Amino acid sequence: MSGVADGGAYDVTETGTEDVPGERPGAPAGTLGVAELELKPALEAVLMVVDEPATEEHLARVLERPRRAVALALRELSDGYARQGRGFDLRLVAGGWRFYSRAEYADAVESFVLDGQQARLTQAALETLAVVAYRQPVSRSRVSAVRGVNCDGVMRTLLQRGLVEEAGMEPETGAILYRTTNYFLERMGLRGLDELPELAPFLPEADAVEGDSPEGIPSFDVDDSGDSQTDH
């Protein structure tokens, strides 16, 4: 069946639905294809549901736009949120973009999220994580050597929380090596390890003390509250 609209011919399917340019086949009437959506609101909608930072390449692919256009729109959105003093901002972290609560409102967010629960890392876990971050890839025994205590339990906690991961084996000893993850960068708000504060010079070199803490030291059963019984 055919007819005339706005002076031109069009075809109508047997179901009576027009084939309108820009609409997705089979989609409800008036629904635009991804490429026809306004870019900035589309980016906002996608970034609202990501569970990890989204790269510009990924966003450009799913929204069917040039990467340069996506990168420009992301930066304009980020600058706009900053100018408006919104309670959130859009940051480039760990190679991708994601919404974050603005630092000025951290107390409000912490109050809501924790609501009486203790979810922070212990001092022992933070110290262990710092050693891994600055000495990676590093074995568990070297971390224990730097801290002067057995770190088995805390390392398990950091692994379970996704802040560190295995990074192969040390050729000389066969010990498992550990490094920080992209999730660590995300939680710290860093683009890369090169943005870590200059604290490494204050850490003792693991090689200098490793002899006091050989690989294979016994493990202890611990909970998430801290290190083993040897950690004081």
Side-chain angles (χ1 to χ4, degrees):
M1 177 178 176
S2 63
V4 176
D6 299 328
Y10 64 88
D11 293 330
V12 179
T13 65
E14 294 180 359
T15 59
T17 303
E18 298 181 26
D19 184 9
V20 179
E23 293 189 358
R24 293 173 297 172
T31 302
L32 294 176
V34 173
E36 282 71 39
L37 294 171
E38 189 175 345
L39 180 55
K40 288 182 181 178
L43 285 168
E44 290 175 323
V46 171
L47 291 171
M48 284 292 293
V49 299
V50 300
D51 56 6
E52 60 184 21
T55 65
E56 293 171 0
E57 294 91 339
H58 190 189
L59 292 169
R61 183 169 65 253
V62 298
L63 296 179
E64 302 175 12
R65 306 296 176 87
R67 176 183 172 180
R68 181 174 298 181
V70 168
L72 178 61
L74 289 166
R75 284 162 175 79
E76 288 179 348
L77 284 171
S78 180
D79 292 343
Y81 299 144
R83 287 195 305 271
Q84 296 165 22
R86 306 296 292 271
F88 60 89
D89 57 12
L90 182 59
R91 296 188 222 158
L92 178 60
V93 172
W97 291 84
R98 187 177 182 182
F99 284 119
Y100 288 85
S101 299
R102 199 169 294 280
E104 296 91 312
Y105 304 100
D107 290 343
V109 174
E110 181 178 33
S111 177
F112 176 80
V113 173
L114 297 184
D115 192 19
Q117 302 178 31
Q118 180 55 263
R120 292 180 176 178
L121 290 175
T122 63
Q123 183 65 30
L126 289 172
E127 291 174 3
T128 302
L129 184 58
V131 176
V132 176
Y134 284 100
R135 296 297 183 214
Q136 62 185 305
V138 62
S139 68
R140 187 181 59 220
S141 68
R142 291 194 175 199
V143 175
S144 296
V146 171
R147 292 200 58 227
V149 294
N150 184 292
C151 297
D152 288 7
V154 175
M155 286 294 291
R156 286 196 293 272
T157 296
L158 296 176
L159 283 164
Q160 291 169 358
R161 296 196 180 189
L163 294 168
V164 301
E165 63 185 2
E166 294 184 3
M169 301 182 68
E170 194 170 48
E172 296 82 1
T173 65
I176 297 175
L177 299 175
Y178 297 91
R179 65 188 175 196
T180 54
T181 63
N182 276 340
Y183 180 62
F184 164 80
L185 295 177
E186 179 185 342
R187 298 297 296 174
M188 294 294 293
L190 303 173
R191 299 186 186 187
L193 293 174
D194 58 335
E195 292 189 353
L196 282 169
E198 290 294 330
L199 296 179
F202 298 98
L203 288 175
E205 289 294 339
D207 290 340
V209 292
E210 185 180 7
D212 297 330
S213 182
E215 189 69 27
I217 53 180
S219 299
F220 297 85
D221 291 330
V222 299
D223 56 26
D224 288 354
S225 61
D227 279 338
S228 69
Q229 298 173 355
T230 61
D231 188 7
H232 298 290

